[in-house]
Amino acid sequence: MSQRLYLQPGDCLFRQGDRGECAYIVESGRIRISATRRGTELTLNEVGPGEMLGELSLLDAGPRTASAWACDEATLTVVTRSQIDERLARAEPVLRLLMRQAMRHLRREIQDVSLPGESSPPMIEHIRLETELLSGIQNGELELWYQPIVNLARRDIEGFEALVRWRSPTRGLVPPVDFIPMAEETGLVVRLGDWVLHTACEALSRLGPAADGKYVCVNVSGRQLEQVGFAHGVRETIAKTGIEASRLHLEVTEGVLIQSPLARAALHECKDIGVRLLLDYFGTGYSSLAYLNQLPFDGIKIDRSFAAKMTEEGDGNKLVVAMLSLAQQLGRGVIMEGIETTEQRDALRRLGGSVCQGYYFCRPVPVRQLEEVLRAGLGEKLG
Ligand code: C2E
Ligand code: MG
């Protein structure tokens, strides 16, 4: 499935009576919509940039009620049935009804069109990104990079965090911040997350002696945890790749846990398997002390914003001390994120912390480079 269609003047997009599998958003050009009534072809409408066509037969699964032809050169974004279904399935029933009603009027409703030469409206950009990411996952465009996690007391690398990147043929190397939020919103993060989990466990297993005794941290979003069978998938991945469960650490990145019994249950199941659980972004609005009490977390990752605060004037230091001592009293581990300078490393040591990661030690790198880093070690940087 291509995410964009380019039509020449006179090209037919679909014909009356066809099965409707896709809707289209016009990016540029004009599309004439016509229907045959009692043997006479009538032009019903003409749609242009920012307008959608072909959506009705997606919603009611009926045949196309009209044909569509390009009046001039036209570019269209394809919206698939699964993209529509995914959104409708997640909507409240009342919203769903409203949506269906609104869709009937969509051709007239979408007025925030871009003029020729202007950038695409956010809606089109969003759908295009989603479609490209889906085919990117299918075409093997995802890469997993790894950032070492060091232990300052033992002066070695004790594990690494797996961080996804997307090598898009059109966008270049895309950082997760540019596509993970969208993937979470649309549910694509479930497929993406399966790939990440499998690839990370496989990498750990393939690294062999170079990674002896080390663990891999995998970021998991709330959407994944809410999938029925998440823990089962984790168990299967561990069995397939042959790693010990305790060498897989899952970092939970979201605040959905409080409301979601499914996500909470998944965490307990993962814990029973022997996987270790970390609460990511600790100290920011996303994490809560209550989680630490109620859920089986083995440790916290202190948000990187605190790394800089450790060496600044003010209370940053005290907050880090408080978080370190809280974790210690509860018997949980701590990883400090975002160490960028020697001063920050030394400050952490002074405050009693020892496990950390950050650009100072090593940026995230592809697996081949990670292997080199594991062999060579980080030398002086570990102080
Ligand atoms: P995170 O889990 O907090 O991951 C750490 C992020 O901090 C990474 O950004 C890493 O490159 C960056 N970082 C590490 N050391 C330093 C430092 O010293 N200074 C600064 N300024 N940044 C540092 P990245 O790779 O861009 O990932 C961003 C976020 O995307 C991650 O934050 C995580 O929430 C999410 N993410 C990444 N991979 C995955 C994934 O496979 N699944 C899910 N669900 N989310 C992911
Ligand atoms: Mg993380």
Side-chain angles (χ1 to χ4, degrees), residues 1-6 24-25 27 76-80 83 127-133 135-136 139 169-170:
M1 178 197 60
S2 70
Q3 60 273 8
R4 280 172 112 187
L5 274 183
Y6 302 93
Y24 306 89
I25 299 171
E27 287 188 42
L76 308 174
T77 293
V78 180
V79 183
T80 62
Q83 285 175 317
I127 287 179
R128 195 189 293 155
L129 182 70
E130 179 186 343
T131 317
E132 282 184 26
L133 179 61
S135 59
N139 297 337
T170 51

Side-chain angles (χ1 to χ4, degrees), residues 147 161-165 176 180 184 189 196 219-221 224 251 253 280-281 304 337-340 358-359 364:
Q147 183 177 41
E161 178 173 6
L163 296 156
V164 70
R165 272 96 181 93
I180 289 285
E184 281 171 347
V189 78
V196 167
N219 290 284
V220 170
S221 93
Q224 290 173 264
E251 297 187 9
T253 58
D280 214 351
Y281 297 110
R304 64 170 181 262
E337 295 211 69
I339 298 289
E340 291 184 353
Y359 292 167

Side-chain angles (χ1 to χ4, degrees), residues 309-353:
K309 291 196 183 115
M310 283 191 306
T311 50
E312 284 169 8
E313 300 279 303
D315 288 341
N317 249 342
K318 292 181 192 152
L319 286 172
V320 174
V321 170
M323 286 189 268
L324 289 170
S325 107
L326 176 79
Q328 197 191 11
Q329 286 179 31
L330 292 173
R332 312 290 157 91
V334 182
I335 301 177
M336 181 84 206
E337 295 211 69
I339 298 289
E340 291 184 353
T341 64
T342 320
E343 291 72 35
Q344 289 169 4
R345 178 200 69 186
D346 294 343
L348 179 65
R349 221 181 223 145
R350 266 199 312 278
L351 299 181

